[in-house]
Amino acid sequence: MRTTNWIGDAVMTTPALKAVRETFPDARVTIVANPLVAQLFAFHPDCDEVIEYDRQGRHAGLIGFLRFVAMLRRKKFDCAFLFQNAIEAALMAFLAGVRSRAGYMTDGRRLLLTHPVPFTDQEKALHHTDYYLHMLEQCGVTTKDKQQQLALLPDEVQWAADNMPQGRYAVINPGAAYGSAKRWIPERFAEVADQLADRYGLSIVLSGGPAEIEIGADIAKIMQTPHKNVIGKTSVRQMMAALAGSSLMITNDSGPMHVAAAFAVPMVAIFGPTDHTTTSPWGTRSQIVRHAVECSPCMLRQCPIDHRCMQRVTVEDVLSAAAALLEDET
């Protein structure tokens, strides 16, 4: 299976991965993923093998691509499910000699697929988790279990116990890899963190990737509460463990948001320029905070005007949503 290049999207494919496992219980299931996403699927119960496709490194350029395709050809795969919509994914499976190749008819790849699935406005409107399942259903691959799933090893759980705060803690995730338009205001994240610590006795952890180090530093300067800042200091696997052990998450629409959802972490998800109907956290333990404005969802990486969709989300909006979740836990 060629999975997606974004962590959040990859998490949303996990019910589809389960469908493949249930439909073909005796098959060896292999996932092809970029190095970052590949870490998500290590030790996953529905995956037997993860192959890294590093197009920024050893598989860069045409020679690197063809070398990777030759390796896949030697493995003699019978079937490929292409969750990535790019033509490259279909070309990869075609050149690797995979007999059955299923995927959406996107990016001009219809002739490279043996099982092309129409891509219409109906599919575009589906939540991404249902979107991937729908593609498989058109090929007779189904599951009744739509729960997202990620897996941790005992030593990874222990790492979180040793390195995260003792007792109940909230994770503040102020970043979003897609672009600045998806990011709520750092000063408001800081105020929410202080209030969560003051009102509920929660320890605070700032979490995110290397690109969010500066944002994390800005929040840390404003906060009055002692906290742990691990932004840019954790691997994907460590991020998974830290989120899995948390009692609450406050986050933008982001990859870690979906990771936390897979571990059923209560969360407040702040949405602005993106479509909450298609990329909201999966499951029932989340509260979405957003304000409908005339230009949202615009799906832009950067706001060309006044960022009104995020500016209108207040600290009290987020705290009220957090209170509802915390009260449900007691």
Side-chain angles (χ1 to χ4, degrees):
M1 296 193 317
R2 175 63 169 106
T3 195
T4 64
N5 284 334
W6 296 91
I7 283 179
D9 288 346
V11 173
M12 289 187 280
T13 68
T14 57
L17 177 60
K18 181 179 290 294
V20 172
R21 172 65 82 194
E22 291 179 357
T23 305
F24 306 104
D26 298 324
R28 180 172 178 81
V29 178
T30 298
I31 286 179
V32 174
N34 68 36
L36 201 63
V37 171
Q39 296 181 58
L40 281 179
F41 293 103
F43 319 114
H44 196 286
D46 295 324
C47 174
D48 299 300
E49 178 186 25
V50 181
I51 299 176
E52 286 190 8
Y53 174 49
D54 186 7
R55 63 178 301 181
Q56 304 301 320
R58 64 187 185 278
H59 302 129
L62 179 60
I63 298 301
F65 175 75
L66 293 176
R67 187 183 302 119
F68 186 78
V69 165
M71 180 273 295
L72 293 181
R73 179 177 282 274
R74 290 192 294 271
K75 287 182 172 287
K76 299 181 179 179
F77 290 108
D78 298 306
C79 179
F81 295 109
L82 307 178
F83 296 140
Q84 187 195 28
N85 286 333
I87 193 170
E88 182 193 60
L91 186 62
M92 180 186 292
F94 176 80
L95 294 177
V98 183
R99 292 198 301 270
S100 296
R101 304 174 300 277
Y104 279 113
M105 288 190 290
T106 55
D107 210 25
R109 62 187 192 169
R110 177 169 182 341
L111 295 179
L112 295 172
L113 303 172
T114 60
H115 295 75
V117 177
F119 183 67
T120 68
D121 288 342
Q122 179 179 345
E123 284 74 40
K124 290 178 183 179
L126 292 172
H127 189 281
H128 282 11
T129 300
D130 285 322
Y131 168 83
Y132 298 118
L133 286 167
H134 175 78
M135 187 267 282
L136 293 184
E137 287 168 0
Q138 306 314 297
C139 304
V141 179
T142 62
T143 181
K144 293 182 179 179
D145 184 359
K146 292 187 176 184
Q147 183 174 346
Q148 293 174 352
Q149 183 180 16
L150 295 173
L152 291 168
L153 294 178
D155 63 341
E156 293 172 328
V157 175
Q158 187 60 50
W159 176 88
D162 293 340
N163 290 276
M164 293 296 107
Q166 298 298 306
R168 299 168 72 241
Y169 62 90
V171 171
I172 305 296
N173 180 64
Y178 183 77
S180 61
K182 292 172 67 173
R183 297 172 186 156
W184 196 41
I185 302 157
E187 292 82 1
R188 296 183 192 178
F189 269 118
E191 176 64 19
V192 165
D194 285 339
Q195 290 294 329
L196 289 174
D198 183 56
R199 297 184 190 184
Y200 303 103
L202 291 168
S203 298
I204 302 298
V205 174
L206 303 182
S207 179
E212 283 94 53
I213 290 175
E214 186 175 344
I215 299 170
D218 290 341
I219 294 172
K221 290 176 185 177
I222 301 167
M223 284 182 60
Q224 303 298 310
T225 304
H227 58 276
K228 188 175 185 71
N229 185 351
V230 297
I231 295 179
K233 300 176 183 178
T234 58
S235 67
V236 170
R237 301 293 304 177
Q238 290 169 336
M239 176 268 290
M240 291 166 61
L243 292 178
S246 65
S247 298
L248 178 70
M249 184 185 197
I250 310 294
T251 181
N252 298 316
D253 175 17
S254 63
M257 175 189 77
H258 294 289
V259 171
F263 288 115
V265 174
M267 78 173 73
V268 178
I270 304 164
F271 275 73
T274 50
D275 188 350
H276 67 288
T277 66
T278 59
T279 61
S280 58
W282 196 245
T284 59
R285 305 186 77 188
S286 63
Q287 292 272 338
I288 294 173
V289 176
R290 62 181 293 271
H291 283 271
V293 297
E294 61 278 6
C295 52
S296 178
C298 66
M299 309 303 293
L300 296 177
R301 292 176 181 267
Q302 296 180 325
C303 180
I305 49 174
D306 55 8
H307 212 195
R308 64 190 63 176
C309 60
M310 286 301 203
Q311 288 286 349
R312 293 184 188 183
V313 175
T314 68
V315 168
E316 198 52 46
D317 287 336
V318 174
L319 288 172
S320 295
L325 290 167
L326 294 169
E327 288 168 4
D328 286 344
E329 298 299 305
T330 59

